[in-house]
Amino acid sequence: MGRKKGYLATLTCALILIATYIMLSIVTTQQNDKLRAELQGQLFTMEAKLEGGINSKLFLEKGINAFILTELSINPSHKITQQELDDFGKQFMPQLLAIRNITLIQNNIITHVYPLSGNEKAIGVDLSRIPAQQQALEEVVATGQSLLTEPVELAQGGVGIIHRSPIYWIPKDTNTPVYWGQTSLVLMQHDLFEEAGLYDKPNLKLAIRARDNLGYQGAVFWGDADVFNANPVIVDIKAANGYWQLAAVPKEGWNKPTSLIYWIVFIGSLFALATSALVWFLLCSLERRNQLKYVSFHDALTGLYNRAIFEEAISKPENKSSSIGLIICDLDGLKMINDTLGHEKGDQVLRQIARILKDCFSKNDIIARIGGDEFAVLVKNATPAQLKTAKENILKKISIYNNENPGVPLSLSIGYTSSADSCASIEDLYKKADNYMYREKLYQRKSTRSAIVGTILKLLEARDFITEGHANRLHDMVTALGKAAHLPEFRLVDLRLLAQFHDIGKVGIPDRILLKPDKLTAEEVQEMRRHSDIGYRIALSTADLLPIANFILQHHEWWNGAGYPLGLSGEDIPLECRILAIADAYDAMTNDRPYRKAMPQADAVAELKRSAGTQFDPALVEKFCKIIEQS
């Protein structure tokens, strides 16, 4: 029996020792994980600063490239002068730190340098005679892409990072790109890294190495090479032709447990194991209970009380016998916001309304979200005058928010009542406040929708890549074609309105699709086609656009029935839509776009004639072509 007790005691001690060792290992791992997370956060900050610093400098190079291409498009024989580069550099380079100079290279020879002072000897240098420079020049020409080199020692002193970018231009009489030369930007490594904060981390060991787009790992060119062998935290920094890897470890190394800590934890765990396990269990149970209680009491989106808690509060006996105030609020235009700008934007508006309501009332008041767009506030011992003041305070804070945030405007219809001036029941008070709110909602519904539509128009104008002249040109063309089709004046008014607002639904299309310069995928095309339906719903929501709602929905229908969204064909398509389709297509072909140059007028007219009978009404195409020829 005694031997069994000894065995049991030994086994218990062994189990506790094992558990203590495991616990200690977990604690050490957690400490290191926390340290790694903190370290990663610092590296992300340095990564953002370094990438942002490099990209902001490279905008200068993009600017001079754009300047050269502009000059060549105007005059292909134009020779860039030193004075032109000086003027460009004086305007932009002083605003950007860490740039040593910018050079222009033609036929492998440096032709221009800014600043010229101190760099005169560089003019005329044939870079093809310098092996390292020749290799970089050839790589830029072979790939047709920018190249960011690893740091090199500069003849003027210091270490520089050289970014080279090729310049190709397309003469007007050919589609073949012509190689003009290269621009070269020299960034000072020390200034660039200092700007990113790499020298402000005395508690860290840092190092940087390069990798190319194929995954080739280059040598460490800054910092301690041993850092990469010490289980570092690593982040990638994007570069023109690959990326850099920034690695860091604590200067004192990662945390390691000592033998003394083992003994302290082991002895203390013998006395605290049972107690800590019990406390842990009780705390977990209490926390879980509080979480369940919070979830059952509160609205998940806004954090306010939910409808069940509100109804429970107003039904309490003390509230039935005392003077209480009831405020009912309804968020105006939520459905329109959800339909046009997305449910995420609608959720943001709901959360902002919740924050404003919390700011306007005390913790003793019951603030609840009782419906999708409805809120209610139960105020104890409130007089009608106090409720009126509370309403004015809410509207004032909403006005301040709208003035400071010019995006989607907030609008709240508010009704209130108090039992101080009525002997009615709680249910009657609720109905009274709700009716008051509903009357106010009817009164301001039109202005609210107009404000939201106005915001949508501003968002569309800010996001649309088409210039303001597009709407003006369409106005003139559809008017001319409408008159040629003998439309009466009242229909010409709707036609002009359609020319201005036919693409209003694009406000609901994500920027990644709306502004994409490349060809859209099949899924993106389907998403893009939703703008007709979105625009239709927006037009239905405002009296000014209601007459053209169906036109907005159907303005992408084709004469042969291959259009969208309804697949209408022939004269089933409204005449206004058929007119707009021809004018819109002609304007798109004859004006520049981000992804192509404008088409000559004769080519555009020929394209319209080819599409007559398929995409366009052939009779209207004939009339339109005559109008263009006469103009």
Side-chain angles (χ1 to χ4, degrees):
M1 188 68 178
R3 182 177 294 179
K4 289 183 179 180
K5 291 181 179 180
Y7 286 154
L8 183 59
T10 303
L11 179 61
T12 302
C13 288
L15 292 176
I16 293 176
L17 183 61
I18 294 171
T20 303
Y21 173 80
I22 294 174
M23 183 170 60
L24 182 60
S25 299
I26 292 174
V27 170
T28 303
T29 301
Q30 289 177 339
Q31 289 176 344
N32 283 330
D33 288 345
K34 182 179 180 181
L35 183 58
R36 292 181 74 88
E38 294 173 352
L39 190 54
Q40 191 170 45
Q42 297 182 54
L43 289 189
F44 282 149
T45 300
M46 287 185 277
E47 172 203 2
K49 289 182 177 179
L50 193 53
E51 282 188 1
I54 292 175
N55 289 332
S56 66
K57 305 330 182 255
L58 296 186
F59 271 117
L60 178 66
E61 190 177 54
K62 293 179 180 178
I64 190 64
N65 289 356
F67 170 76
I68 292 171
L69 290 174
T70 300
E71 293 297 326
L72 290 175
S73 66
I74 298 172
N75 182 7
S77 62
H78 178 74
K79 303 294 184 182
I80 303 299
T81 66
Q82 182 65 41
Q83 183 61 46
E84 288 175 332
L85 182 61
D86 289 346
D87 292 341
F88 187 93
K90 289 175 183 177
Q91 184 176 0
F92 296 104
M93 265 188 62
Q95 305 170 26
L96 301 172
L97 303 178
I99 298 179
R100 170 63 65 85
N101 60 57
I102 184 168
T103 64
L104 302 185
I105 304 167
Q106 284 188 282
N107 298 321
N108 297 334
I109 296 175
I110 296 177
T111 57
H112 304 76
V113 180
Y114 179 83
L116 183 60
S117 177
N119 294 300
E120 294 86 351
K121 293 182 179 180
I123 300 296
V125 172
D126 188 348
L127 298 178
S128 65
R129 296 179 180 276
I130 306 172
Q133 298 286 353
Q134 181 184 12
Q135 181 180 356
L137 289 169
E138 291 176 350
E139 184 173 345
V140 171
V141 174
T143 62
Q145 297 179 353
S146 300
L147 174 67
L148 187 67
T149 66
E150 295 180 8
V152 295
E153 294 289 338
L154 300 176
Q156 304 94 326
V159 178
I161 300 172
I162 302 176
H163 184 272
R164 286 194 172 88
S165 177
I167 299 177
Y168 288 90
W169 72 289
I170 301 177
K172 292 182 178 180
D173 57 348
T174 178
N175 290 325
T176 304
V178 176
Y179 174 68
W180 181 89
Q182 299 180 20
T183 53
S184 175
L185 194 69
V186 179
L187 308 176
M188 297 306 298
Q189 174 185 285
H190 182 274
D191 295 342
L192 193 63
F193 287 2
E194 184 177 41
E195 189 180 33
L198 270 63
Y199 297 109
D200 300 331
K201 305 297 178 183
N203 60 328
L204 300 179
K205 289 183 180 180
L206 299 168
I208 299 179
R209 68 185 177 191
R211 296 175 71 91
D212 63 19
N213 285 323
L214 300 177
Y216 172 79
Q217 181 173 299
V220 174
F221 62 82
W222 181 83
D224 187 354
D226 292 333
V227 170
F228 283 92
N229 299 321
N231 189 26
V233 177
I234 299 176
V235 297
D236 293 333
I237 301 170
K238 295 179 182 177
N241 50 303
Y243 58 95
W244 296 345
Q245 288 186 319
L246 173 61
V249 295
K251 191 172 184 179
E252 303 299 329
W254 302 108
N255 293 329
K256 295 180 180 179
T258 63
S259 58
L260 178 61
I261 295 178
Y262 278 118
W263 281 108
I264 293 175
V265 175
F266 171 67
I267 295 173
S269 65
L270 292 177
F271 295 97
L273 185 61
T275 303
S276 63
L278 180 61
V279 170
W280 177 81
F281 175 77
L282 292 176
L283 288 177
C284 286
S285 299
L286 181 60
E287 181 183 7
R288 180 61 176 168
R289 180 182 177 185
N290 289 337
Q291 289 176 346
L292 292 174
K293 183 178 179 181
Y294 183 88
V295 170
S296 62
F297 284 7
H298 293 80
D299 173 59
L301 178 63
T302 63
L304 301 178
Y305 286 116
N306 57 27
R307 186 182 186 93
I309 295 301
F310 177 76
E311 291 178 345
E312 180 182 333
I314 63 175
S315 63
K316 288 183 178 179
E318 59 266 29
N319 289 331
K320 292 184 176 181
S321 60
S322 62
S323 174
I324 63 167
L326 195 59
I327 299 176
I328 304 297
C329 308
D330 190 279
L331 177 58
D332 301 319
L334 178 62
K335 184 178 186 303
M336 186 175 183
I337 294 172
N338 286 336
D339 289 344
T340 57
L341 303 179
H343 286 271
E344 183 177 350
K345 177 61 70 175
D347 291 346
Q348 291 177 7
V349 171
L350 287 169
R351 285 191 288 265
Q352 184 57 43
I353 289 294
R355 285 191 286 268
I356 290 175
L357 292 177
K358 287 180 181 179
D359 289 342
C360 293
F361 296 95
S362 69
K363 294 183 178 179
N364 295 326
D365 299 324
I366 304 297
I367 310 171
R369 182 186 178 199
I370 59 175
D373 54 2
E374 287 188 274
F375 300 84
V377 185
L378 182 65
V379 185
K380 296 182 179 179
N381 301 317
T383 65
Q386 290 173 330
L387 295 178
K388 181 180 179 182
T389 301
K391 173 185 175 180
E392 293 172 349
N393 192 23
I394 295 171
L395 296 177
K396 180 180 178 181
K397 288 185 178 294
I398 288 177
S399 178
I400 293 173
Y401 174 84
N402 287 338
N403 290 334
E404 295 177 350
N405 300 271
V408 179
L410 302 184
S411 177
L412 208 60
S413 297
I414 304 174
Y416 64 87
T417 188
S418 169
S419 62
D421 59 355
S422 173
C423 297
S425 64
I426 290 292
E427 292 76 11
D428 291 337
L429 286 176
Y430 183 91
K431 291 180 180 178
K432 184 177 180 181
D434 192 58
N435 289 336
Y436 182 3
M437 178 274 296
Y438 186 71
R439 288 196 300 271
E440 183 169 304
K441 188 174 185 70
L442 291 177
Y443 174 75
Q444 62 186 29
R445 174 178 294 175
K446 182 177 180 180
S447 61
T448 299
R449 289 188 173 182
S450 296
I452 295 175
V453 170
T455 299
I456 290 171
L457 291 176
K458 291 179 181 178
L459 290 174
L460 180 63
E461 181 180 353
R463 297 170 70 200
D464 199 358
F465 56 79
I466 301 175
T467 62
E468 183 178 348
H470 171 67
N472 295 332
R473 292 189 299 270
L474 275 186
H475 176 279
D476 296 338
M477 286 188 287
V478 299
T479 299
L481 185 53
K483 289 180 178 179
H486 307 293
L487 284 181
E489 182 59 31
F490 75 93
R491 294 184 68 179
L492 287 176
V493 171
D494 288 346
L495 183 59
R496 296 186 191 106
L497 198 62
L498 177 64
Q500 183 177 2
F501 294 104
H502 62 282
D503 277 340
I504 191 174
K506 286 184 178 179
V507 73
I509 304 301
D511 285 347
R512 60 180 174 79
I513 297 176
L514 185 64
L515 305 179
K516 184 177 180 180
D518 303 322
K519 184 178 180 181
L520 300 181
T521 64
E523 293 78 10
E524 290 170 337
V525 168
Q526 293 303 315
E527 180 72 14
M528 187 67 172
R529 288 184 172 183
R530 289 184 58 246
H531 81 272
S532 298
D533 182 61
I534 295 173
Y536 171 71
R537 281 181 276 152
I538 295 174
L540 289 178
S541 300
T542 176
D544 294 337
L545 301 181
L546 186 60
I548 64 168
N550 282 325
F551 298 159
I552 291 175
L553 178 67
Q554 300 168 22
H555 76 276
H556 277 293
E557 300 289 353
W558 282 29
W559 181 260
N560 65 356
Y564 66 90
L566 304 179
L568 301 180
S569 63
E571 295 187 357
D572 290 338
I573 305 169
L575 181 56
E576 288 82 354
C577 297
R578 286 178 271 151
I579 291 173
L580 176 71
I582 296 171
D584 195 22
Y586 177 80
D587 188 72
M589 288 187 287
T590 55
N591 288 277
D592 289 342
R593 289 291 184 265
Y595 48 87
R596 61 157 176 78
K597 291 293 183 181
M599 182 185 297
Q601 176 179 309
D603 293 348
V605 169
E607 183 61 31
L608 287 178
K609 291 180 178 179
R610 279 193 294 271
S611 298
T614 55
Q615 183 175 355
F616 307 120
D617 181 338
L620 289 178
V621 169
E622 183 178 352
K623 293 179 184 294
F624 185 79
C625 292
K626 289 181 180 179
I627 293 172
I628 296 300
E629 291 170 359
Q630 293 171 359
S631 63

